Amino acid sequence: MEEMEEELKCPVCGSFYREPIILPCSHNICQACARNILVQTPESESPQSRRASGSGVSDYDYLDLDKMSLYSEADSGYGSYGGFASAPTTPCQKSPNGVRVFPPAMPPPATHLSPALVPVPRNSCITCPQCHRSLILDDRGLRGFPKNRVLEGVIDRYQQSKAAALKCQLCEKAPKEATVMCEQCDVFYCDPCRLRCHPPRGPLAKHRLVPPAQGRVSRRLSPRKVSTCTDHELENHSMYCVQCKMPVCYQCLEEGKHSSHEVKALGAMWKLHKSQLSQALNGLSDRAKEAKEFLVQLRNMVQQIQENSVEFEACLVAQCDALIDALNRRKAQLLARVNKEHEHKLKVVRDQISHCTVKLRQTTGLMEYCLEVIKENDPSGFLQISDALIRRVHLTEDQWGKGTLTPRMTTDFDLSLDNSPLLQSIHQLDFVQMKASSPVPATPILQLEECCTHNNSATLSWKQPPLSTVPAEGYILELDDGNGGQFREVYVGKETMCTVDGLHFNSTYNARVKAFNKTGVSQYSKTLVLQTSEAIAIYEIKPMKDTDSEEQTPPFPVPSERMPLRRMSPFSSTLNLQPSFPGRSYFDFRSSPHQLSLHSSLQSLNAPGCNFETQSAPYSQLVDIKKLLAVAWFAFDPGSAHSDIIFSNDNLTVTCSSYDDRVVLGKTGFSKGVHYWELTVDRYDNHPDPAFGVARMDVMKDVMLGKDDKAWAMYVDNNRSWFMHNNSHTNRTEGGITKGATIGVLLDLNRKTLTFFINDEQQGPIAFENVEGLFFPAVSLNRNVQVTLHTGLPVPDFYSSRASIA
């Protein structure tokens, strides 16, 4: 029952209720405490003035007071009533249970009457200390509020049930044991509180003080007070008004405001409300029982969390210690290799030092001996040994010249430790993969039918498994370096398709993808092997008389002179591998279960002696494969070009809207292999100086090509040409361009050279040498020039033959 004690204490004084009254808001307050927190209101707010104006409709008029009117919710500790300017601002106080209350504007007059009989000031206002609802009292004052006799009875029973010694009711902190009880005040006192609050003088001298035990008995034996009507104090409650929800007396039904209301017997309504309260308590009891069980569960969770924390911490320490031990073992192994290399280098160098020291000693001895021989004055004796000495000197000199003075060992250690993957793994080491309640996404599936390569670009597509229930927040695509090196992240995002540009030609790349969410990352998908563009087949058409052969239709279109057919890359644009010539294509899984590769196996295009005859020509045409060369098909790139560049013809033709030179790059970059492309001059007015060549991706786009160190170019007018790089002009060569001219650019990254051609003739010497890195085809022009790009072309014959000879 001690948990109920807070329900039995006044929110103002913090002690058990004494003569509690019920406010209209259903909260309780001691009658004496209610008198202490009364505040006088202006005359305009009185009930009489409201009734005179027709605004009052009830006995209790609630005030619409905001937070700054009667009291303040702020922590300033002050509150004031703003109804009239003359009202003084009084500090607010706090009751023992923390409720802010307001003292009266002036101390109440000294009186010997009981609190119920003390007159209340006219136009008084009271504010509930719990819900802060304010109301103005009528002429009856505090007598207009009903007294809570039930609460008084509960308090009496509670106090009687306490087996411990009676405590003082006026001690502020730790109540002391009561020594006396005043029958008139009905209060238990300890000695200090009795001397301070109930001195034996004045009117209090007539009060009767009894021992606490006798006072408890007298309380128990005192007759229960009967509840009387607030409007008719001499009448007891006999009926219950259903409309007003309050007990009333007989006179209220005869002549009061309840005369027209529905009423019921007080005993019947008492039993009914008791039944309703019991039913409500049943539901609340169930919730309380659930709350107790929940608290037990939470306390068990606290203990379990502590145990799991200790266990998890021990596991984590063990795992980290295992990693540290493995790293230390590997460190010892690597240090052993370094020490072995160190000893080997020292041994080689020391052996060479010893060998050179012996040889130098012999050489020095021979030199000193020869000098002494030269000092001899006997010609015949000198000539007897001079030939042998000369041969020995030459032989010794030759011995020093055969790499003897070159160190056999370098000082550098040819060992390189790449710890970046391990550091990345350490940085990514987290607990997320250990959360079973929130799983990681499923492993993505590569969609082979949508994956393809084009020139040196690769497009990959993937999706989540059909039955996957764990959503992925994004994906990580990784590619190796084309030489079987480490994987690198090339894309991180939510999309399920990605195109990677700038790859090496004729190279094999491994690609894989994984999904991630807040919990962690999935396993890698199967590794997909990609092959960038490899070769082109050049077919030479030779007409020949063949009257014996049957008329046949070639399995692919045959041009009149020669037709370049691009060999299908390992991924065609749709992966519906239907080559335009006889052959077959198939998927092949490698032996590794985590790698899959797409190969294109083409049958021989022409067996020896095979020929075909078209339906429209009397001659059959023999198709011979002359050569296979690495080539690329590409166009100009609008994304990286200057804004003044104008594109047409599927981005193969460009011109400019400005009189100043502007730069445009090709979409494809080259880093190895031999590549050749041409540009035809469609329009050439007023003798401008267009420039052709290669450049880095970050070349300046608003100046002539070759003005900075990011471009290597040939600029040409109608009479001559120059090579230019980093604004350095070299190799002036006669011969210019006109409308219809063809400019060829040959980039040989195998030999690291750049060569230019005009109308199939080499223009000047090799323009640039030692070119290394990634290069993009580039052109600079103004509005007086328009050019068209031609790609996928073979290397000129004379250059191929020269390269084969070299």
Short mmCIF file of all heavy atoms in Angstrom, two decimals, residues 355-397:
data_model
loop_
_atom_site.label_atom_id
_atom_site.label_comp_id
_atom_site.label_asym_id
_atom_site.label_seq_id
_atom_site.Cartn_x
_atom_site.Cartn_y
_atom_site.Cartn_z
N HIS A 355 88.15 -9.84 -54.46
CA HIS A 355 88.73 -10.13 -55.78
C HIS A 355 89.43 -8.90 -56.34
O HIS A 355 90.56 -9.00 -56.86
CB HIS A 355 87.62 -10.59 -56.72
CG HIS A 355 88.09 -10.87 -58.11
ND1 HIS A 355 88.88 -11.97 -58.44
CD2 HIS A 355 87.91 -10.19 -59.28
CE1 HIS A 355 89.14 -11.97 -59.73
NE2 HIS A 355 88.56 -10.89 -60.26
N CYS A 356 88.75 -7.74 -56.24
CA CYS A 356 89.36 -6.52 -56.77
C CYS A 356 90.61 -6.13 -55.97
O CYS A 356 91.57 -5.59 -56.53
CB CYS A 356 88.35 -5.38 -56.74
SG CYS A 356 87.03 -5.55 -57.96
N THR A 357 90.60 -6.38 -54.67
CA THR A 357 91.77 -6.05 -53.85
C THR A 357 92.98 -6.87 -54.29
O THR A 357 94.10 -6.34 -54.45
CB THR A 357 91.46 -6.31 -52.37
OG1 THR A 357 90.33 -5.51 -51.99
CG2 THR A 357 92.65 -5.94 -51.50
N VAL A 358 92.78 -8.18 -54.49
CA VAL A 358 93.89 -9.03 -54.94
C VAL A 358 94.39 -8.58 -56.29
O VAL A 358 95.60 -8.47 -56.55
CB VAL A 358 93.44 -10.51 -54.97
CG1 VAL A 358 94.51 -11.39 -55.61
CG2 VAL A 358 93.13 -10.98 -53.55
N LYS A 359 93.44 -8.29 -57.19
CA LYS A 359 93.81 -7.89 -58.54
C LYS A 359 94.53 -6.56 -58.54
O LYS A 359 95.48 -6.34 -59.28
CB LYS A 359 92.54 -7.81 -59.41
CG LYS A 359 92.67 -8.54 -60.72
CD LYS A 359 91.33 -8.58 -61.42
CE LYS A 359 91.54 -8.88 -62.89
NZ LYS A 359 92.55 -9.91 -63.12
N LEU A 360 94.04 -5.63 -57.69
CA LEU A 360 94.68 -4.33 -57.62
C LEU A 360 96.09 -4.46 -57.05
O LEU A 360 97.02 -3.76 -57.50
CB LEU A 360 93.84 -3.39 -56.74
CG LEU A 360 94.39 -1.97 -56.55
CD1 LEU A 360 94.48 -1.25 -57.90
CD2 LEU A 360 93.50 -1.18 -55.59
N ARG A 361 96.27 -5.35 -56.08
CA ARG A 361 97.61 -5.57 -55.52
C ARG A 361 98.54 -6.11 -56.60
O ARG A 361 99.70 -5.69 -56.73
CB ARG A 361 97.52 -6.53 -54.34
CG ARG A 361 98.88 -6.68 -53.62
CD ARG A 361 98.78 -7.67 -52.46
NE ARG A 361 97.79 -7.24 -51.48
CZ ARG A 361 96.67 -7.88 -51.25
NH1 ARG A 361 96.38 -8.98 -51.95
NH2 ARG A 361 95.81 -7.45 -50.33
N GLN A 362 98.06 -7.07 -57.40
CA GLN A 362 98.88 -7.61 -58.48
C GLN A 362 99.21 -6.55 -59.52
O GLN A 362 100.35 -6.45 -60.01
CB GLN A 362 98.16 -8.78 -59.14
CG GLN A 362 97.98 -9.98 -58.22
CD GLN A 362 97.12 -11.06 -58.86
OE1 GLN A 362 96.57 -10.86 -59.95
NE2 GLN A 362 97.03 -12.23 -58.18
N THR A 363 98.17 -5.72 -59.84
CA THR A 363 98.39 -4.67 -60.84
C THR A 363 99.39 -3.66 -60.33
O THR A 363 100.29 -3.20 -61.07
CB THR A 363 97.05 -3.99 -61.17
OG1 THR A 363 96.13 -4.96 -61.65
CG2 THR A 363 97.24 -2.92 -62.22
N THR A 364 99.27 -3.28 -59.06
CA THR A 364 100.19 -2.30 -58.50
C THR A 364 101.62 -2.85 -58.48
O THR A 364 102.60 -2.15 -58.78
CB THR A 364 99.75 -1.92 -57.08
OG1 THR A 364 98.40 -1.45 -57.12
CG2 THR A 364 100.63 -0.85 -56.50
N GLY A 365 101.74 -4.12 -58.12
CA GLY A 365 103.08 -4.74 -58.13
C GLY A 365 103.68 -4.77 -59.52
O GLY A 365 104.89 -4.50 -59.70
N LEU A 366 102.84 -5.09 -60.53
CA LEU A 366 103.35 -5.10 -61.90
C LEU A 366 103.76 -3.71 -62.33
O LEU A 366 104.80 -3.53 -63.01
CB LEU A 366 102.26 -5.66 -62.83
CG LEU A 366 102.61 -5.69 -64.32
CD1 LEU A 366 103.84 -6.60 -64.56
CD2 LEU A 366 101.42 -6.19 -65.13
N MET A 367 102.98 -2.68 -61.95
CA MET A 367 103.33 -1.31 -62.33
C MET A 367 104.64 -0.90 -61.70
O MET A 367 105.50 -0.28 -62.36
CB MET A 367 102.20 -0.36 -61.90
CG MET A 367 100.91 -0.54 -62.68
SD MET A 367 99.54 0.42 -61.98
CE MET A 367 100.23 2.07 -62.04
N GLU A 368 104.83 -1.22 -60.42
CA GLU A 368 106.07 -0.84 -59.76
C GLU A 368 107.27 -1.57 -60.37
O GLU A 368 108.37 -1.00 -60.55
CB GLU A 368 105.96 -1.14 -58.27
CG GLU A 368 104.96 -0.26 -57.55
CD GLU A 368 104.83 -0.63 -56.09
OE1 GLU A 368 105.44 -1.66 -55.68
OE2 GLU A 368 104.10 0.09 -55.35
N TYR A 369 107.05 -2.83 -60.70
CA TYR A 369 108.13 -3.60 -61.34
C TYR A 369 108.49 -3.01 -62.69
O TYR A 369 109.67 -2.86 -63.05
CB TYR A 369 107.71 -5.05 -61.47
CG TYR A 369 108.70 -5.90 -62.24
CD1 TYR A 369 109.95 -6.19 -61.71
CD2 TYR A 369 108.37 -6.40 -63.50
CE1 TYR A 369 110.86 -6.97 -62.42
CE2 TYR A 369 109.27 -7.16 -64.21
CZ TYR A 369 110.50 -7.44 -63.67
OH TYR A 369 111.40 -8.20 -64.38
N CYS A 370 107.48 -2.66 -63.49
CA CYS A 370 107.75 -2.07 -64.81
C CYS A 370 108.47 -0.73 -64.68
O CYS A 370 109.36 -0.40 -65.50
CB CYS A 370 106.45 -1.89 -65.57
SG CYS A 370 105.69 -3.44 -66.09
N LEU A 371 108.12 0.08 -63.68
CA LEU A 371 108.81 1.36 -63.49
C LEU A 371 110.28 1.15 -63.14
O LEU A 371 111.17 1.91 -63.58
CB LEU A 371 108.11 2.15 -62.38
CG LEU A 371 106.72 2.69 -62.72
CD1 LEU A 371 106.07 3.34 -61.50
CD2 LEU A 371 106.79 3.70 -63.87
N GLU A 372 110.54 0.13 -62.33
CA GLU A 372 111.94 -0.16 -62.01
C GLU A 372 112.70 -0.65 -63.23
O GLU A 372 113.89 -0.34 -63.42
CB GLU A 372 112.00 -1.17 -60.87
CG GLU A 372 111.48 -0.66 -59.54
CD GLU A 372 112.29 0.51 -59.02
OE1 GLU A 372 113.52 0.57 -59.29
OE2 GLU A 372 111.69 1.40 -58.36
N VAL A 373 112.03 -1.46 -64.08
CA VAL A 373 112.68 -1.95 -65.29
C VAL A 373 113.02 -0.80 -66.22
O VAL A 373 114.07 -0.76 -66.87
CB VAL A 373 111.80 -3.00 -65.99
CG1 VAL A 373 112.34 -3.34 -67.38
CG2 VAL A 373 111.71 -4.25 -65.14
N ILE A 374 112.13 0.18 -66.29
CA ILE A 374 112.35 1.32 -67.17
C ILE A 374 113.58 2.11 -66.72
O ILE A 374 114.29 2.72 -67.54
CB ILE A 374 111.11 2.22 -67.20
CG1 ILE A 374 109.95 1.49 -67.91
CG2 ILE A 374 111.36 3.54 -67.91
CD1 ILE A 374 108.63 2.23 -67.87
N LYS A 375 113.90 2.07 -65.44
CA LYS A 375 115.04 2.82 -64.94
C LYS A 375 116.38 2.17 -65.34
O LYS A 375 117.44 2.79 -65.21
CB LYS A 375 114.98 2.91 -63.41
CG LYS A 375 113.81 3.74 -62.90
CD LYS A 375 113.78 3.73 -61.38
CE LYS A 375 112.59 4.49 -60.83
NZ LYS A 375 112.54 4.45 -59.34
N GLU A 376 116.36 0.91 -65.80
CA GLU A 376 117.60 0.23 -66.18
C GLU A 376 118.21 0.88 -67.42
O GLU A 376 117.48 1.26 -68.35
CB GLU A 376 117.33 -1.26 -66.43
CG GLU A 376 116.96 -2.03 -65.19
CD GLU A 376 118.12 -2.09 -64.21
OE1 GLU A 376 119.29 -2.08 -64.65
OE2 GLU A 376 117.84 -2.14 -62.98
N ASN A 377 119.56 0.92 -67.44
CA ASN A 377 120.27 1.55 -68.55
C ASN A 377 120.88 0.51 -69.51
O ASN A 377 121.59 0.89 -70.47
CB ASN A 377 121.38 2.46 -68.03
CG ASN A 377 120.80 3.63 -67.22
OD1 ASN A 377 119.74 4.14 -67.57
ND2 ASN A 377 121.52 4.03 -66.17
N ASP A 378 120.62 -0.76 -69.28
CA ASP A 378 121.18 -1.81 -70.14
C ASP A 378 120.19 -2.10 -71.26
O ASP A 378 119.17 -2.75 -71.04
CB ASP A 378 121.44 -3.06 -69.30
CG ASP A 378 122.10 -4.17 -70.13
OD1 ASP A 378 122.45 -3.91 -71.30
OD2 ASP A 378 122.19 -5.30 -69.59
N PRO A 379 120.46 -1.61 -72.48
CA PRO A 379 119.49 -1.82 -73.58
C PRO A 379 119.27 -3.28 -73.90
O PRO A 379 118.14 -3.70 -74.12
CB PRO A 379 120.13 -1.08 -74.76
CG PRO A 379 121.05 -0.08 -74.14
CD PRO A 379 121.59 -0.73 -72.90
N SER A 380 120.32 -4.05 -73.95
CA SER A 380 120.14 -5.44 -74.34
C SER A 380 119.35 -6.20 -73.29
O SER A 380 118.45 -7.01 -73.59
CB SER A 380 121.52 -6.11 -74.55
OG SER A 380 122.28 -6.04 -73.33
N GLY A 381 119.62 -5.92 -72.00
CA GLY A 381 118.86 -6.59 -70.94
C GLY A 381 117.40 -6.16 -70.92
O GLY A 381 116.48 -6.97 -70.70
N PHE A 382 117.15 -4.86 -71.21
CA PHE A 382 115.77 -4.37 -71.25
C PHE A 382 114.97 -5.01 -72.37
O PHE A 382 113.81 -5.40 -72.19
CB PHE A 382 115.79 -2.84 -71.39
CG PHE A 382 114.43 -2.23 -71.46
CD1 PHE A 382 113.68 -1.98 -70.32
CD2 PHE A 382 113.85 -1.91 -72.70
CE1 PHE A 382 112.42 -1.42 -70.40
CE2 PHE A 382 112.59 -1.37 -72.78
CZ PHE A 382 111.86 -1.12 -71.62
N LEU A 383 115.61 -5.14 -73.54
CA LEU A 383 114.90 -5.69 -74.69
C LEU A 383 114.62 -7.18 -74.52
O LEU A 383 113.69 -7.72 -75.13
CB LEU A 383 115.72 -5.46 -75.96
CG LEU A 383 115.85 -4.00 -76.41
CD1 LEU A 383 116.78 -3.87 -77.61
CD2 LEU A 383 114.46 -3.44 -76.74
N GLN A 384 115.38 -7.84 -73.69
CA GLN A 384 115.12 -9.26 -73.47
C GLN A 384 113.79 -9.50 -72.74
O GLN A 384 113.14 -10.52 -72.95
CB GLN A 384 116.29 -9.86 -72.65
CG GLN A 384 117.56 -10.04 -73.45
CD GLN A 384 118.67 -10.60 -72.59
OE1 GLN A 384 118.58 -10.67 -71.37
NE2 GLN A 384 119.77 -11.03 -73.25
N ILE A 385 113.38 -8.56 -71.90
CA ILE A 385 112.15 -8.77 -71.11
C ILE A 385 111.03 -7.80 -71.48
O ILE A 385 109.91 -7.91 -70.98
CB ILE A 385 112.44 -8.63 -69.62
CG1 ILE A 385 112.95 -7.23 -69.29
CG2 ILE A 385 113.42 -9.69 -69.15
CD1 ILE A 385 113.12 -6.96 -67.80
N SER A 386 111.32 -6.83 -72.33
CA SER A 386 110.32 -5.78 -72.61
C SER A 386 109.08 -6.35 -73.31
O SER A 386 107.94 -5.97 -73.00
CB SER A 386 110.94 -4.68 -73.46
OG SER A 386 111.41 -5.22 -74.71
N ASP A 387 109.24 -7.26 -74.27
CA ASP A 387 108.07 -7.80 -74.97
C ASP A 387 107.15 -8.55 -74.01
O ASP A 387 105.91 -8.42 -74.06
CB ASP A 387 108.55 -8.75 -76.07
CG ASP A 387 109.21 -8.01 -77.23
OD1 ASP A 387 108.90 -6.80 -77.38
OD2 ASP A 387 110.00 -8.62 -77.95
N ALA A 388 107.74 -9.32 -73.14
CA ALA A 388 106.90 -10.05 -72.18
C ALA A 388 106.17 -9.11 -71.23
O ALA A 388 104.98 -9.30 -70.91
CB ALA A 388 107.77 -11.03 -71.39
N LEU A 389 106.87 -8.03 -70.79
CA LEU A 389 106.23 -7.08 -69.90
C LEU A 389 105.09 -6.34 -70.60
O LEU A 389 104.03 -6.08 -70.00
CB LEU A 389 107.27 -6.08 -69.36
CG LEU A 389 108.24 -6.63 -68.32
CD1 LEU A 389 109.26 -5.56 -67.91
CD2 LEU A 389 107.49 -7.12 -67.08
N ILE A 390 105.33 -5.99 -71.86
CA ILE A 390 104.27 -5.27 -72.60
C ILE A 390 103.03 -6.15 -72.73
O ILE A 390 101.89 -5.70 -72.57
CB ILE A 390 104.81 -4.84 -73.99
CG1 ILE A 390 105.88 -3.75 -73.81
CG2 ILE A 390 103.66 -4.35 -74.87
CD1 ILE A 390 106.59 -3.36 -75.10
N ARG A 391 103.23 -7.47 -73.04
CA ARG A 391 102.09 -8.37 -73.15
C ARG A 391 101.37 -8.50 -71.80
O ARG A 391 100.13 -8.52 -71.73
CB ARG A 391 102.56 -9.74 -73.65
CG ARG A 391 102.92 -9.76 -75.13
CD ARG A 391 103.04 -11.18 -75.64
NE ARG A 391 104.08 -11.91 -74.92
CZ ARG A 391 105.36 -11.95 -75.28
NH1 ARG A 391 105.75 -11.30 -76.36
NH2 ARG A 391 106.22 -12.66 -74.57
N ARG A 392 102.13 -8.59 -70.70
CA ARG A 392 101.50 -8.71 -69.38
C ARG A 392 100.68 -7.45 -69.03
O ARG A 392 99.58 -7.53 -68.48
CB ARG A 392 102.59 -8.92 -68.32
CG ARG A 392 103.17 -10.31 -68.29
CD ARG A 392 104.12 -10.45 -67.12
NE ARG A 392 103.40 -10.26 -65.85
CZ ARG A 392 104.06 -10.15 -64.68
NH1 ARG A 392 105.39 -10.19 -64.63
NH2 ARG A 392 103.34 -10.00 -63.58
N VAL A 393 101.26 -6.28 -69.38
CA VAL A 393 100.53 -5.02 -69.10
C VAL A 393 99.23 -4.97 -69.87
O VAL A 393 98.16 -4.63 -69.32
CB VAL A 393 101.44 -3.82 -69.40
CG1 VAL A 393 100.61 -2.52 -69.37
CG2 VAL A 393 102.59 -3.75 -68.41
N HIS A 394 99.30 -5.33 -71.18
CA HIS A 394 98.06 -5.30 -71.98
C HIS A 394 97.06 -6.34 -71.47
O HIS A 394 95.84 -6.08 -71.44
CB HIS A 394 98.39 -5.56 -73.45
CG HIS A 394 99.01 -4.38 -74.11
ND1 HIS A 394 98.43 -3.13 -74.16
CD2 HIS A 394 100.20 -4.27 -74.80
CE1 HIS A 394 99.20 -2.28 -74.82
NE2 HIS A 394 100.31 -2.96 -75.22
N LEU A 395 97.55 -7.49 -71.10
CA LEU A 395 96.66 -8.54 -70.61
C LEU A 395 95.99 -8.10 -69.30
O LEU A 395 94.78 -8.28 -69.11
CB LEU A 395 97.44 -9.84 -70.40
CG LEU A 395 96.62 -11.02 -69.87
CD1 LEU A 395 95.51 -11.39 -70.85
CD2 LEU A 395 97.53 -12.23 -69.61
N THR A 396 96.79 -7.50 -68.43
CA THR A 396 96.22 -7.01 -67.17
C THR A 396 95.20 -5.91 -67.41
O THR A 396 94.14 -5.84 -66.77
CB THR A 396 97.34 -6.51 -66.25
OG1 THR A 396 98.30 -7.57 -66.04
CG2 THR A 396 96.79 -6.07 -64.90
N GLU A 397 95.50 -5.01 -68.36
CA GLU A 397 94.55 -3.93 -68.69
C GLU A 397 93.25 -4.50 -69.24
O GLU A 397 92.16 -4.03 -68.91
CB GLU A 397 95.22 -2.98 -69.68
CG GLU A 397 94.32 -1.79 -70.03
CD GLU A 397 94.98 -0.90 -71.07
OE1 GLU A 397 96.10 -1.21 -71.52
OE2 GLU A 397 94.35 0.11 -71.44
#
